[in-house]
Amino acid sequence: MTTAQEALDERLVRATQGGLPLVSEPYAAVAATLGVSEAQVIGRLDAMLADRRLRRIGVVPNHYALGYKANGMSVWDVDDSAVDDLGTQVGALAFVSHCYRRPRRLPDWPYNLFAMVHARTREEVEAKLGEIRRRLGPALRAADVLYSTRILKKTGLRLR
């Protein structure tokens, strides 16, 4: 990669790290800001995605503003021999925004599978947790849910 590409990549990351502009052609707007073509912006983003300098480009919704105010982090104690496969299944559910495996912290914290569930009411969350329970089946030993009380600022790494 040339030094000019590296410099453009850094400028591009700085220009987009707070989000893309909310306009009909966001890549063109970023390109205009940087003084390059839209094709260059898209090409450099594609290159950074391909070599994993960027993991993804996606939307980070404000769930509260969208009416999803009963958000719960569900925690599950799942048999270790099944947790990877079952975690993949739980993570694929439309109402789960993220799902991951974590080590237990015994004796106080027996949970090894975490899944964030979003809904408009706690009753909806409970119904969705029932779907997860059914999916986990006999591998499930214990569960709990920790409800959000406020939204936290969600940001990734920021270059200064």
Side-chain angles (χ1 to χ4, degrees):
M1 178 179 338
T2 68
T3 304
Q5 283 178 327
E6 290 171 351
L8 176 57
D9 290 353
E10 183 175 337
R11 289 175 51 224
L12 180 53
V13 168
R14 288 180 191 280
T16 59
Q17 67 187 359
L20 290 170
L22 298 177
V23 297
S24 61
E25 296 182 3
Y27 298 114
V30 171
T33 300
L34 297 177
V36 299
S37 72
E38 181 180 22
Q40 284 176 287
V41 165
I42 293 169
R44 295 313 310 147
L45 289 171
D46 283 344
M48 287 188 279
L49 287 166
D51 68 16
R52 306 288 293 156
R53 285 180 287 155
L54 295 180
R55 284 187 291 172
R56 65 178 172 215
I57 298 172
V59 175
V60 180
N62 177 333
H63 295 96
Y64 285 79
L66 295 172
Y68 290 84
K69 297 181 180 182
N71 307 301
M73 175 58 76
S74 61
V75 293
W76 310 90
D77 177 5
V78 177
D79 186 280
D80 287 327
S81 66
V83 70
D84 289 336
D85 179 55
L86 291 170
T88 298
Q89 293 178 42
V90 170
L93 295 169
F95 55 82
V96 173
S97 64
H98 49 282
C99 180
Y100 47 91
R101 181 180 184 178
R102 289 288 186 260
R104 294 178 176 85
R105 299 290 183 219
L106 299 173
D108 300 317
W109 193 256
Y111 308 109
N112 60 342
L113 183 64
F114 294 58
M116 190 69 191
V117 174
H118 300 281
R120 296 182 188 280
T121 66
R122 285 193 179 201
E123 292 78 19
E124 286 180 43
V125 170
E126 292 296 329
K128 292 174 180 186
L129 295 177
E131 185 174 335
I132 294 174
R133 276 188 194 88
R134 286 186 296 281
R135 189 170 299 267
L136 296 177
L140 175 61
R141 296 188 286 238
D144 205 347
V145 62
L146 310 167
Y147 284 98
S148 300
T149 57
R150 63 190 169 102
I151 192 165
L152 301 174
K153 184 177 179 184
K154 297 183 271 187
T155 62
L157 174 68
R158 296 285 190 251
L159 301 180
R160 295 199 183 259

